[in-house]
Amino acid sequence: MSDILFSPIGKTDPISHERDGSLLHICRHYHPELVVLYLSKGMLAYQKRDDRYRASLRLLAKEADFPMEIRTVERPELTNVHLFDTFYADFEKVLRELHQANPKHRILINLSSGTPSMKGALEVLTTLLDFPVVGIQVSDPNQGQVSRRDDPDDFDLELYWACDLDRKPETYQDRTHELKSENLRGKLQRQALEAHLDAWDYHAA
């Protein structure tokens, strides 16, 4: 079965601290046939400046020798990137349309790029959607030990690509983890139970 990847974009994409960002790393591991990039106003500005997200994916597809189609979902009006409700309905609409157009493909969802609200909305959808999806988390290669952040305004794709340690077999490490839906479902149920108890609603709990 071929894969489709749906991915919000975050500030560590496509490459940061000499390692793949989550978007690039998932594509390196799974070789999706189609990648759909979800771009808020801020990330769209970077895309228009130097085409960094699509260009890095094309470099990967060429180097790893696999076909990849890239599409974008552009939201230039989207500035309230911290609001959960902003994304939930839009993400669900896009994912349902992807499934309807590609019913025999597996849909992968990047749960590690974008804002916390984006990640949270996609985690919930991964559990609640009534068709098969696979949530993919990508662990931090530096385990939070890097104190500085790469400045996305100073991004140089040629330099970053040349220095990406995930391109080299001797320094590559697979950091992808498939989210187990049953674990998340249990977590959501516990959170709902705790909310009812906190509200003294013992009947609902």
Side-chain angles (χ1 to χ4, degrees):
M1 178 181 290
S2 298
D3 289 331
I4 294 172
L5 173 64
F6 175 76
S7 177
I9 298 299
K11 289 187 176 180
T12 58
D13 293 311
I15 303 168
S16 181
H17 294 112
E18 299 180 344
R19 292 283 184 180
D20 294 340
S22 299
L23 164 68
L24 198 62
H25 200 71
I26 293 171
C27 291
R28 187 181 300 280
H29 183 76
Y30 287 92
H31 293 187
E33 182 178 291
L34 169 64
V35 178
V36 179
L37 307 178
Y38 187 93
L39 298 160
S40 63
K41 180 178 180 179
M43 300 301 102
L44 184 57
Y46 290 127
Q47 174 62 24
K48 289 182 174 179
R49 175 188 298 182
D50 52 26
D51 201 29
R52 64 184 64 179
Y53 311 114
R54 292 183 300 193
S56 63
L57 290 172
R58 292 188 188 111
L59 286 172
L60 172 63
K62 181 178 180 180
E63 184 169 84
D65 192 24
F66 70 95
M68 179 196 297
E69 179 184 355
I70 306 167
R71 299 178 193 170
T72 59
V73 177
E74 301 180 0
R75 297 291 185 260
E77 76 287 352
L78 185 51
T79 57
N80 293 323
V81 294
H82 60 289
L83 298 178
F84 178 94
D85 290 344
T86 300
F87 304 108
Y88 188 89
D90 199 21
F91 284 163
E92 182 176 13
K93 179 177 180 292
V94 173
L95 289 167
R96 287 193 180 280
E97 289 174 349
L98 274 175
H99 172 66
Q100 290 167 3
N102 306 274
K104 295 184 179 180
H105 286 66
R106 182 173 66 161
I107 297 180
L108 310 177
I109 299 177
N110 178 2
L111 299 176
S112 294
S113 289
T115 66
S117 294
M118 291 179 179
K119 298 172 188 177
L122 286 172
E123 283 190 10
V124 173
L125 283 167
T126 297
T127 299
L128 299 182
L129 284 172
D130 54 1
F131 55 88
V133 296
V134 180
I136 309 294
Q137 295 177 319
V138 180
S139 61
D140 178 0
N142 301 297
Q143 301 299 316
Q145 296 179 5
V146 176
S147 58
R148 67 173 180 82
R149 293 178 66 96
D150 286 343
D151 185 352
D153 290 320
D154 293 331
F155 186 81
D156 181 331
L157 179 58
E158 183 176 356
L159 175 62
Y160 277 46
W161 180 255
C163 296
D164 187 350
L165 296 174
D166 285 320
R167 294 178 57 210
K168 303 173 175 60
E170 64 273 19
T171 50
Y172 169 78
Q173 47 182 290
D174 176 18
R175 295 179 278 116
T176 62
H177 309 277
E178 295 188 6
L179 184 69
K180 303 302 182 184
S181 295
E182 58 271 21
N183 293 343
L184 179 57
R185 187 176 295 109
K187 178 181 177 181
L188 292 172
Q189 289 172 341
R190 287 194 300 274
Q191 289 176 341
L193 176 62
E194 290 168 0
H196 287 309
L197 293 175
D198 288 343
W200 298 82
D201 190 352
Y202 295 109
H203 177 73

